[in-house]
């Protein structure tokens, strides 16, 4: 997928996000609040060979109501054709959360560095969009899609997506 298609998908999601904001759960995303979430994903073939696993943890703080600065650490493990590889990515970002409803869309951007066994170490940056569903005033489910543009690579970029659980404190 080229950059124009990626930006079109992200733009469509951003346009739909405010429409999805309904319900009322209070506003845990006020200035000074902290936020932690963990997401994960995995895949295997039909015989549980050729496996890939990924986990990501995000720690953030709200500088003003709705605006969160964060740091995200991601680790991926793959075992494909009996070759193991571990890769990582560390990014910082800003996300703006829309409203104080049960469904809380957010959008932002991140910049960081990817590294590991089977990737070229490189800086990345790009937009991200997501949605938090408040289970109670401090706990939520989160879905996020991020598009990473590589600084020094001929690669067109890649999508990073995950589903997880988070809390504010």
């Amino acid at each position: 997928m080229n950059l124009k298609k990626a930006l079109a998908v992200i733009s469509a999601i951003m346009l739909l996000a405010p429409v999805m904001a309904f319900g009322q759960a209070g506003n845990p995303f006020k200035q000074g609040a902290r936020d932690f979430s963990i997401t994960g994903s995995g895949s295997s073939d039909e015989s549980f060979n050729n496996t890939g696993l990924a986990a990501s943890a995000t720690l953030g703080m709200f500088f003003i109501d709705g605006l969160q600065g964060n740091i995200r650490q991601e680790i991926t493990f793959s075992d494909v054709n009996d070759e193991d590889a571990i890769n990582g990515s560390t990014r910082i970002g800003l996300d703006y959360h829309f409203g104080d409803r049960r469904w809380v869309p957010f959008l932002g951007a991140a910049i960081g560095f990817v590294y590991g066994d089977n990737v070229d170490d490189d800086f990345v940056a790009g937009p991200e969009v997501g949605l938090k569903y408040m289970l109670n005033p401090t706990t939520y489910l989160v879905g996020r899609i991020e598009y990473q543009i590589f600084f020094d690579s001929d690669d067109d970029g890649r999508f990073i997506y995950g589903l997880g659980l988070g809390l504010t404190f």
Side-chain angles (χ1 to χ4, degrees):
M1 180 179 282
N2 66 29
L3 181 58
K4 288 181 184 178
K5 288 180 184 176
L7 292 175
V9 169
I10 291 170
S11 297
I13 293 170
M14 289 171 31
L15 290 173
L16 291 174
V19 174
M20 296 183 289
F22 64 90
Q24 187 69 28
N27 185 3
F29 308 118
K30 293 204 175 284
Q31 181 178 357
R34 287 171 176 63
D35 182 87
F36 176 77
S37 65
I38 188 161
T39 61
S41 63
S43 67
S44 294
D45 65 15
E46 70 282 353
S47 58
F48 288 97
N49 294 320
N50 299 320
T51 298
L53 303 170
S56 175
T58 302
L59 180 63
M61 181 175 158
F62 287 85
F63 299 121
I64 61 173
D65 290 1
L67 183 63
Q68 176 193 43
N70 58 61
I71 184 166
R72 183 170 301 126
Q73 179 63 50
E74 180 178 73
I75 299 293
T76 60
F77 168 79
S78 62
D79 179 10
V80 178
N81 298 326
D82 293 324
E83 284 196 35
D84 294 347
I86 297 176
N87 299 314
S89 176
T90 305
R91 303 179 302 282
I92 59 170
L94 282 175
D95 291 327
Y96 185 78
H97 294 70
F98 294 93
D100 59 355
R101 313 230 183 264
R102 183 163 302 279
W103 294 89
V104 183
F106 63 91
L107 64 97
I111 186 168
F113 195 72
V114 296
Y115 45 88
D117 295 335
N118 63 358
V119 297
D120 293 330
D121 295 356
D122 199 357
F123 286 97
V124 293
E128 63 183 25
V129 62
L131 184 65
K132 293 178 179 177
Y133 175 73
M134 301 306 296
L135 299 171
N136 63 43
T138 61
T139 308
Y140 58 86
L141 294 174
V142 61
R144 174 180 27 263
I145 300 172
E146 178 180 348
Y147 187 75
Q148 293 182 340
I149 301 164
F150 294 90
F151 283 29
D152 294 327
S153 173
D154 292 334
D155 193 343
D156 287 336
R158 67 179 182 169
F159 282 100
I160 304 293
Y161 45 88
L163 183 63
L165 187 64
L167 62 106
T168 59
F169 52 96

